[in-house]
Amino acid sequence: MNKVRVRYAPSPTGHLHIGNARTALFNYLFAKHYDGDFVLRIEDTDIERNVEGGEESQMYYLNWLGITPDESPSNPKGYGPYRQMERLDLYQKYANQLIEAGHAYKCYCTSEELDEDYQKQIDAGHASTRYNRKCLHMSSEEKALKEQSELPFTIRIRVPDETTYTFTDMIRGEVKFESKDIGDWVLVKTNGIPTYNFAVVIDDYLMAITHVFRGEEHLSNTPKQLMLYEMFGWQPPEFAHMTLIVNEQRKKLSKRDHSIMQYMSQYKELGYLPEAMFNFMALLGWSPETEQEIFSKEELIRVFDEKRLSKSPSMFDKQKLTWVNNRYIKELPIEKVIELSVPYLAKEVDLSGYSEQWIHQLVALYHDQLSYGHEIVTLSELFFKETLNFDDEAQEVLTWETTPVVKSAFLNHLPEIWSIENLKETMNVVKKETGIKGKPLFMGIRVLVSGQCHGPDLMSTLFLLGPDKVKNRLM
Ligand code: GLU
């Protein structure tokens, strides 16, 4: 087998989206599994949609995830240039070859003429419209006149008659398309810029790409690409079209769906871990042979098997994302968790009055629960609030007749020296004095000082709240 070479080919139209990140990831895993190369190519021919900084942003978030290209615009290795807009002369050369071989022709029809004709086809009841081949059928005199006129033209492929394009998709198996369903499409636009389907074939061939993993929205582009491979007499790469990512309602993820964060930048901003995101995305449309769900990058590279890519849509399971991230955070040393979370806290609350040790203990209190850095802000709210809000469950505890009893007893026996040991002792004294124990005792105190029925270890919570806050909240 030739050396495996795959590519991730984003358009620099914005930040790295979860769908693209997954495409990059599967290409990367496949390449690394087979000791191959992972190439980054920038498909910037849709110049109106390109955004300033789009390419840098793609690179930045790929690197953040640990998906490092072996070749890219900034790290060329002899297959460049790696930006399509720097390859225009190459596309021109191959387009001319096709014209000479009779596989393509210049089309001088204006968009008004084309629209008019397409409208006629619609009015005549055609299900789909296609180019009427007016310029293909021009006489040689007409052609010569047009050539001299310097009118703008596109270059169209002459789609072969009655040809079936068959390929074996690595995920879907055999896929067939008929050429009669495809009109003569444009290879090069009037401005000299190639269309996606043309550029991608020239590039994949010249960059010696062996396998293409991409989204299923490109499945119907594949016959257009295959006809070019055939015309040039080139061996096409293997294709794998990955299924959609859907939301929890099983609807295709749309960029307007705000119930799911879809950009890597958003995850990074909130303090999700790149290793966890890498792990989570690998399970978005791929599954290992075993039940295992937590994998390091190295393990994923080792066990990745393209035959186990899913044939059905993969659901973006937010709970799983949280769970995977939590698993990774749990494994981190506390210093790392502090580094990850405290900056968020410092932005929301004034930490100047708290010692380093106190902050350390606070983070440690939530270490096991934390799923992303910013979450510390909501988790630890009870320590910083001026007034507590009691939810329905907590309100109910306030109505228990035991609650005011434990409250005043606890106030009466607050330890002089504030330590967890002494707080435990206070609890014991309250228990003895009031005869109240178990849930009515512990839940009563918890709700009074935190406003919540659930939370981290009660003694540590009391200790970290400190004598003033505890006293105030019990008054
Ligand atoms: N630039 C294309 C996209 O972002 C790449 C498609 C392909 O992989 O062929 O969808």
Side-chain angles (χ1 to χ4, degrees), residues 5 37-41 69-73 75-77 79 82:
R5 285 180 54 84
D37 296 328
F38 172 69
V39 177
L40 179 96
R41 179 173 73 224
D70 299 299
E71 292 168 34
S72 67
N75 183 23
K77 292 266 172 70
Y79 290 91
Y82 292 82

Side-chain angles (χ1 to χ4, degrees), residues 40-310:
L40 179 96
R41 179 173 73 224
I42 296 293
E43 303 208 327
D44 53 357
T45 55
D46 197 349
I47 38 183
E48 263 124 61
R49 290 186 57 230
N50 293 343
V51 298
E52 177 94 27
E55 178 185 325
E56 290 73 17
S57 171
Q58 289 277 336
M59 284 299 294
Y60 179 84
Y61 288 102
L62 281 183
N63 278 324
W64 178 70
L65 284 168
I67 305 176
T68 326
D70 299 299
E71 292 168 34
S72 67
S74 56
N75 183 23
K77 292 266 172 70
Y79 290 91
Y82 292 82
R83 291 186 194 96
Q84 289 187 326
M85 286 305 280
E86 293 168 14
R87 300 171 64 81
L88 296 184
D89 50 342
L90 285 170
Y91 308 127
Q92 199 58 56
K93 175 181 135 192
Y94 285 100
N96 289 340
Q97 260 185 35
L98 289 176
I99 295 179
E100 270 156 40
H103 289 308
Y105 57 95
K106 293 180 182 173
C107 171
Y108 295 89
C109 294
T110 63
S111 44
E112 290 76 21
E113 284 170 316
L114 293 171
D115 286 345
E116 200 175 307
D117 186 57
Y118 294 150
Q119 191 55 48
K120 271 191 205 149
Q121 297 180 34
I122 294 170
D123 295 343
H126 292 280
S128 62
T129 59
R130 69 179 55 203
Y131 179 55
N132 60 18
R133 289 191 159 170
K134 184 173 156 206
C135 291
L136 175 67
H137 297 127
M138 271 191 304
S139 65
S140 29
E141 292 79 36
E142 266 179 292
K143 245 186 232 169
L145 270 175
K146 291 278 190 196
E147 292 269 357
Q148 281 165 12
S149 70
E150 291 189 8
L151 283 169
F153 61 87
T154 59
I155 300 175
R156 282 185 190 271
I157 188 169
R158 187 200 181 290
V159 171
D161 303 323
E162 287 168 40
T163 308
T164 306
Y165 293 99
T166 311
F167 68 98
T168 309
D169 189 279
M170 286 189 274
I171 299 173
R172 288 146 205 272
E174 195 176 89
V175 186
K176 269 192 188 151
F177 291 94
E178 299 296 334
S179 69
K180 69 174 168 42
D181 298 324
I182 303 170
D184 287 355
W185 51 279
V186 172
L187 300 169
V188 182
K189 295 183 275 185
T190 51
N191 57 8
I193 297 179
T195 55
Y196 155 71
N197 277 308
F198 181 48
V200 79
V201 170
I202 306 301
D203 292 347
D204 285 345
Y205 170 72
L206 293 178
M207 294 183 173
I209 299 303
T210 56
H211 298 78
V212 168
F213 291 82
R214 61 185 173 197
E216 73 172 18
E217 67 276 17
H218 288 294
L219 190 62
S220 60
N221 285 323
T222 311
K224 292 184 176 176
Q225 297 173 15
L226 287 175
M227 59 183 77
L228 285 168
Y229 281 102
E230 214 166 277
M231 288 168 179
F232 286 115
W234 297 338
Q235 169 78 29
E238 301 281 332
F239 291 100
H241 289 91
M242 294 177 296
T243 56
L244 293 176
I245 303 176
V246 293
N247 67 16
E248 281 158 28
Q249 286 75 44
R250 302 253 153 215
K251 286 223 181 76
K252 179 179 182 241
L253 263 203
S254 105
K255 295 196 174 157
R256 274 160 283 135
D257 182 347
H258 296 297
S259 68
I260 291 178
M261 290 196 298
Q262 299 186 27
Y263 293 92
M264 285 307 122
S265 52
Q266 294 171 294
Y267 288 101
K268 181 176 182 290
E269 260 164 47
L270 287 177
Y272 283 81
L273 295 176
E275 300 81 9
M277 295 306 293
F278 190 103
N279 187 156
F280 170 74
M281 285 192 299
L283 303 175
L284 214 50
W286 177 83
S287 55
E289 228 169 290
T290 59
E291 297 280 291
Q292 187 180 343
E293 296 200 278
I294 300 295
F295 291 94
S296 68
K297 174 167 150 178
E298 290 64 35
E299 268 178 300
L300 279 168
I301 290 173
R302 191 160 42 76
V303 301
F304 184 75
D305 174 358
E306 65 283 4
K307 288 182 217 65
R308 299 192 60 84
L309 282 164
S310 163

Side-chain angles (χ1 to χ4, degrees), residues 18-29:
I18 184 107
N20 286 336
R22 183 188 67 155
T23 300
L25 176 68
F26 286 143
N27 276 291
Y28 175 83
L29 288 175

Side-chain angles (χ1 to χ4, degrees), residues 328-339:
Y328 276 79
I329 290 186
K330 271 186 180 166
E331 295 297 319
L332 289 181
I334 184 71
E335 289 71 28
K336 288 274 172 217
V337 188
I338 291 172
E339 222 172 89

